[in-house]
Amino acid sequence: MARDTDLTNPIFTDPDKAREHFEAIRWPDGPYCPYCGVIDRIAPLGGKSMGPGWYHCKDCRRKFTAAVGTIYERSHIPMTKWLLATHLLCASKKGMSAHQLGRMMGLPYKTAWFMAHRIRESMREMFPDASPIGGEGKTVEADETYVGGKEKNRHRSKRNAKHIGGVGKEMVFSLVERGGKVRSHHLTNISAKNLRPLLNQQLADASKTNLMTDGEGQYRLVSDMFKKHEVVNHGIGEYVRGDAHTNTVEGYFSILKRGIVGTYHHVSQQHLKRYLAEFDFRYNERTALEVTDAERAAKVVFGAVGKRMTYRQTNGAHA
Ligand SMILES: [Zn+2]
């Protein structure tokens, strides 16, 4: 979208403006029939009973709106609210809790929670395999961190540094291309067996990519896949040696952890991958790469196309 979007934009309050905005994202080249794919025999349906936004396909003779086949199709939540929730989640660097989202939109907590998860889902599915990272002349940093866990375990881990990564915490493994994108995964452990397929899937060509890790040792298991593997040894206080460092991935982890601890407080194991999708998405579509809030939100709305609701609103309404 060319124009920037702020909260006074009528798409967040006016149903017609919201619909037109969605249609422009859904159908950048004009409407097409979601049933038979026809593009040139589409006519708007007048009719007072249908309301605006309905089209008719003269080929298969079916009626449709831009929402058909998307997560918005059978939603009782108006498009204005979907656009607003998407904008708020896209524009907040550390995310936004369902409580705050609900308060800001005048919607019940459970509705906001449901919407936030649907929006994260739209963020997630756009990315896997969309464009591999790394490749010729590129440097990728890999590291793991631990998030979540129950409060009592978190206190114990704070008391004893050796318990970091211990009971109740979930491991997040991230790959970040310097100056590029991040890919995060929820893993149970780091082994050659689970890293190799993941690296092959995510990287353009590992054999042409430089890898940077810290001195934990487990990444030596996959050194042979890379053009070059450099290690900085945090254990002996070494953080930067020439261009060998893991500052990029650590910077990403600090945003992720501030968001998960500060905004979401507790993230269940079941939903962790959705939060990772949210944080990866905002990082990958960041302002530094000249992506505006409005463009970011439009990508999420576009990502929602083709995804119907697969679980009900009553599903476990907690963080
Ligand atoms: Zn048709």
Side-chain angles (χ1 to χ4, degrees), residues 151-180:
E151 211 46 40
K152 59 179 181 176
N153 295 321
R154 188 175 295 155
H155 289 316
R156 184 170 51 176
S157 73
K158 271 184 184 164
R159 282 206 304 271
N160 181 352
K162 286 182 179 161
H163 278 254
I164 285 173
V167 190
K169 287 188 174 272
E170 302 300 328
M171 183 196 282
V172 174
F173 167 77
S174 293
L175 283 167
V176 187
E177 180 186 306
R178 286 187 187 164

Side-chain angles (χ1 to χ4, degrees), residues 214 232-242 244-247 250:
D214 70 16
V232 283
N233 195 342
H234 292 177
I236 58 164
E238 179 186 56
Y239 287 88
V240 180
R241 189 185 64 251
H245 64 80
T246 54
N247 293 346
E250 282 160 27

